[in-house]
Amino acid sequence: MIPVMRPWLGKEEADAAAEAVASGWIAQGPRVRKFEEAFAAAIGTPHAVAVSSCTAALHLALIAAGIGQGDEVVVPSLSFIATANAVRYVGAQPVFADVDLATQNLTPQTVEPHLTARTRAVILVDQAGVPADLDAMRALCDPLHITVVEDAACAAGSTYRGRPVGAGAELAAFSFHPRKLLTTGEGGMLTTPNGSIAARLRRLREHGMDISAADRHHSQQPVIEHYTEVGFNFRMTDIQAAIGLVQLRKLAEMVARRRVLAQRYQKLLSDISGLVTAGDPPYGETNYQSFWVLLPEEPAAGRDDLLQLLADAGISARRGIMAAHLEPAYADAKPSLPVTEQLTMHSLILPLFHQMTQAQQDHVVSVVTSALTNSMPAISVP
Ligand SMILES: *Cc1c(COP(=O)(O)O)cnc(C)c1O
């Protein structure tokens, strides 16, 4: 079976994890601190705060932005459900806006009609790794005192106007789930240029404590901690951070490899008329976290038929990005989102992973091509 994704892990990660275990300190400690410093340096932002997942990161970002009961937060429905759920966690109302077809991201044009006196934040997702136009969104939102939280879950290693994605955001949230590029098994990171926000995020991830357990442990004097507000246990472990430090060093190579494979897909699939493929926006470069294709209006095979054909050929593909407003959890929302619905119903994600071979890629291309065109005979004649 050709997987849709496979993390690129090796002996170095295994050794780093083993070293953390051997050190006797496996909860949040010195390796988490080192990973945060290395990640902040890689993004080019002053502060990075490690947490247990990107979902936790989004939750804390909204608390840090002061979002709560009675507030509205504009989000894309076309996203992993965690984006909308984070808004519900803080008691606010997610308001679904449509996306741009080429990038699958919110734009000022799709968000503006949904702004009300209650709108306090917009969660701007870099969907599938494709950078969203943050400056344009901030130009709309900053004058209205609406916080733009960047959901960069998929976008570690993508660039926006020449800088790493996340660098220009007041709050950006990253995921280290194995379905993304850089992985720690589970894990997430928040970045911010604001030191007092970073300090509050560090307290919130650890029960609201004013001094971390690790710092108390390393103190020479007895230290009595205080709990400044109701916080959470959203800590990352030092075992995860040890793996993350190795993965971060490999990130540029992961992105480069994915871009080579993605460009090869684009070339090999370019003969299928009407097929739209994932690509770079004019202002940045994607890490191709997912290589999605949107089927032509009149495909020879429907999306679900194509997924079945791929599965029959030993290829694990996925439906395109989900749409939260079509799920039972959000059934009360009945927004009109034509582009979101076109994308979620007629797109799919093709396999793309670091160690994918050209032969594997050719196999995927041949199944897709024969399903969508008549140019390839089902049985090749010698
Ligand atoms: C994966 C993902 C998340 C959730 O990340 P976790 O680390 O699994 O919590 C949130 N938003 C988007 C857009 C994602 O793709």
Side-chain angles (χ1 to χ4, degrees), residues 45 47 61 64-65 134 138 142 146-150 166-173 190-198 201:
T45 192
H47 307 283
L134 178 71
R138 291 196 66 165
D142 287 359
I146 295 168
T147 304
V148 180
V149 172
E150 188 163 12
E170 196 58 21
L171 284 155
L190 280 152
T191 59
T192 177
N194 185 315
S196 62
I197 287 180
L201 293 169

Side-chain angles (χ1 to χ4, degrees), residues 8-19 242-243 245-247 249-250:
W8 183 37
L9 294 162
K11 187 174 181 305
E12 257 196 293
E13 285 87 348
D15 288 348
E19 208 185 295
I243 295 169
L245 277 162
V246 177
Q247 287 269 290
R249 289 198 290 272
K250 292 161 74 169

Side-chain angles (χ1 to χ4, degrees), residues 271-286:
D271 288 343
I272 302 174
S273 87
L275 189 79
V276 180
T277 62
D280 289 328
Y283 49 75
E285 288 194 348
T286 172

Side-chain angles (χ1 to χ4, degrees), residues 46 62 94 97 189 211:
L62 293 176
M189 191 75 82
I211 176 164

